[in-house]
Amino acid sequence: WWYGFLTINYYQYIIKTVTNYYQDKITDKTTVWILSQLTNKSLREGEDKYMKECDYLINYMVDHGFSKIFNPAKIHIVYDSDMNDDYYRMIHAPLLFCSPSTFCFNAAVANVNGLVFIPSVGPWVDLNILRQNETNNIHVIAQNSSLIPMNHIVIETKESGFHCNHVDGYLYTKNTMNSLNLTLYAEKLGEYLVSH
């Protein structure tokens, strides 16, 4: 359950509900950087065979979701980066949406100046243990906690439906990976992530 994808509603919830401050700062001069791991410099061993489907998925999410949420900002998918550049970008981002990834999580924890959003469920300990909900935002489970940096906000992602690791009829695991039609899976997953 830990790895997976975050739905468009996760990002929309944060921008519209939690960060009213940023909603006013998004202009046509704003650039949203999406770190994609879609180059040979950033792929791990064996991941190159999934690059086409991952590229489709991220572009689908930009075209049908992110472009609406971050309008009128420019959205730039980073293709030519390596892990060091990606890590540097994340620790210095003024607004960072952490994905359910240990790489992103470690960079997010190192970001002490930006506003950082971390999903409650990922390949780390379930951060629902921090549940303190001192705010009026139903999905914010930790903010201003002594256990995380002051600029970090943990968003509940499992119960809210913001976290997805399969689509109906397509359970993606190491065991089913070779038998799936990955192109069709990427299409169905893209549709699901944008509609939820």
Side-chain angles (χ1 to χ4, degrees):
W1 231 102
W2 298 343
Y3 289 104
F5 302 91
L6 298 170
T7 67
I8 288 297
N9 284 343
Y10 171 76
Y11 303 96
Q12 190 163 4
Y13 170 77
I14 291 170
I15 287 295
K16 298 217 184 283
T17 309
V18 182
T19 64
N20 291 330
Y21 171 75
Y22 271 93
Q23 187 70 35
D24 297 335
K25 290 189 167 233
I26 298 172
T27 70
D28 59 351
K29 303 216 182 320
T30 303
T31 300
V32 175
W33 299 90
I34 297 177
L35 306 180
S36 64
Q37 261 188 302
L38 290 174
T39 65
N40 289 326
K41 288 194 284 186
S42 62
L43 290 173
R44 292 176 287 207
E45 188 176 325
E47 290 181 335
D48 56 338
K49 59 185 165 189
Y50 308 114
M51 226 161 59
K52 182 181 93 177
E53 289 79 11
C54 291
D55 184 54
Y56 169 85
L57 183 60
I58 195 63
N59 278 285
Y60 186 89
M61 291 183 70
V62 166
D63 293 344
H64 300 283
F66 293 131
S67 60
K68 295 173 187 163
I69 294 170
F70 296 106
N71 186 40
K74 293 181 236 42
I75 299 178
H76 180 73
I77 302 171
V78 179
Y79 285 103
D80 57 350
S81 188
D82 65 22
M83 288 187 281
N84 292 330
D85 292 338
D86 291 347
Y87 195 84
Y88 180 85
R89 281 185 180 101
M90 288 187 282
I91 63 172
H92 294 288
L95 176 63
L96 178 63
F97 295 90
C98 183
S99 68
S101 142
T102 51
F103 180 73
C104 186
F105 181 75
N106 287 313
V109 171
N111 183 325
V112 295
N113 294 314
L115 183 55
V116 178
F117 293 93
I118 299 174
S120 61
V121 177
W124 46 82
V125 65
D126 185 342
L127 294 178
N128 278 308
I129 62 169
L130 297 175
R131 190 174 293 274
Q132 59 188 3
N133 205 352
E134 298 166 359
T135 69
N136 293 328
N137 294 319
I138 189 168
H139 300 302
V140 174
I141 61 171
Q143 185 174 8
N144 301 323
S145 169
S146 60
L147 299 174
I148 60 173
M150 294 297 287
N151 62 315
H152 290 57
I153 300 173
V154 178
I155 303 292
E156 195 292 310
T157 53
K158 189 174 182 180
E159 294 167 17
S160 63
F162 294 153
H163 187 115
C164 170
N165 65 350
H166 76 281
V167 201
D168 289 341
Y170 294 91
L171 181 58
Y172 186 77
T173 67
K174 287 183 180 181
N175 296 333
T176 62
M177 190 165 45
N178 293 327
S179 63
L180 282 177
N181 176 333
L182 291 179
T183 301
L184 183 58
Y185 179 74
E187 291 171 4
K188 295 289 184 196
L189 182 58
E191 291 169 9
Y192 180 87
L193 293 174
V194 166
S195 66
H196 288 83

